[in-house]
Amino acid sequence: DEQFAVRQREQMSATPRALDWLEQHYPEEMAEAVHFDYFGDPSEDDQQALEALPPHFQEMLQINIGEWTLTDARIEVEGKKVPVRELLLGPGGPLLPAAGKDWLRRLGERSLSLYEVREARSGEGLLLADLLRPEEPAVWVDERAASRSLVRWDVLGARLVRQGSGWVLSGAAYPFIREEGLACRDEIL
């Protein structure tokens, strides 16, 4: 139990440590990537709307931006677009414990997708079906917090991360009104 707890702490500390390292070494490049690539060069009105979001939505947005940064962002370094993951996991990246580097590696193995809740057991987990990969079977995800608020047929954008022989949610979540989530799926497919 103690080893598991240490590993969990190392994994969870990897994300803020990696983001701090990026902010310290590539502040302008990261700000540009978030502005143009994540937000798509938002208008001034859109920026004001984002700044006016309630605190809990601001927090959710920061989690989502952080995860996108660690998994999908590319920044310009010496005239070349480089995946942030390469900077973090390659030579010269931040000093992280092995479990932290392993978490960052696993975090980027699977892309963000749309999931439909097929079953929710409060405080235990969720049975999720990937709406963008309908040929894949639904998978059980160990998730205590989200399983208390999500119910059958809810739709969310999320990233699954392999944890031992099972799955966990990465932390970033994009809740959808069911009809909007299904419309998003239809547009993607």
Side-chain angles (χ1 to χ4, degrees):
D1 287 346
E2 190 174 316
Q3 286 178 337
F4 178 78
V6 168
R7 183 172 175 80
Q8 288 289 101
R9 280 194 303 275
E10 288 177 355
Q11 287 177 358
M12 294 307 107
S13 72
T15 297
R17 289 174 65 183
L19 291 170
D20 287 347
W21 183 87
L22 287 166
E23 186 59 35
Q24 190 175 44
H25 290 84
Y26 302 100
E28 293 165 12
E29 296 86 346
M30 291 308 308
E32 187 174 296
V34 169
H35 181 83
F36 290 103
D37 299 334
Y38 186 83
F39 285 116
D41 193 15
S43 68
E44 196 169 309
D45 288 343
D46 289 340
Q47 285 180 309
Q48 289 175 353
L50 287 167
E51 291 167 6
L53 288 172
H56 67 281
F57 283 120
Q58 288 284 347
E59 184 179 338
M60 184 187 301
L61 182 60
Q62 290 307 310
I63 290 168
N64 293 344
I65 290 169
E67 183 174 304
W68 171 83
T69 299
L70 299 175
T71 58
D72 300 316
R74 299 170 64 86
I75 61 173
E76 192 164 321
V77 178
E78 298 175 5
K80 183 176 140 187
K81 282 277 193 175
V82 177
V84 166
R85 285 176 44 82
E86 287 181 14
L87 296 170
L88 295 171
L89 298 173
L95 295 175
L96 297 169
K101 281 200 178 215
D102 182 53
W103 171 257
L104 293 178
R105 182 188 53 72
R106 287 184 287 116
L107 184 63
E109 286 178 346
R110 204 166 156 90
S111 63
L112 188 67
S113 196
L114 278 173
Y115 293 95
E116 178 179 72
V117 177
R118 296 284 171 86
E119 180 183 349
R121 290 188 212 146
S122 184
E124 292 180 37
L126 305 160
L127 184 64
L128 298 178
D130 192 328
L131 295 176
L132 301 181
R133 298 177 190 99
E135 70 284 355
E136 291 186 5
V139 296
W140 181 258
V141 177
D142 294 323
E143 177 58 42
R144 289 182 180 87
S147 66
R148 289 186 172 95
S149 59
L150 294 172
V151 297
R152 189 172 191 195
W153 308 123
D154 276 349
V155 175
L156 72 149
R159 183 183 313 267
L160 300 185
V161 180
R162 176 75 63 193
Q163 183 85 0
S165 61
W167 296 95
V168 296
L169 293 177
S170 62
Y174 300 84
F176 282 85
I177 295 170
R178 181 172 174 74
E179 292 74 27
E180 291 175 1
L182 296 177
C184 182
R185 174 208 54 197
D186 293 344
E187 192 171 316
I188 292 170
L189 295 177

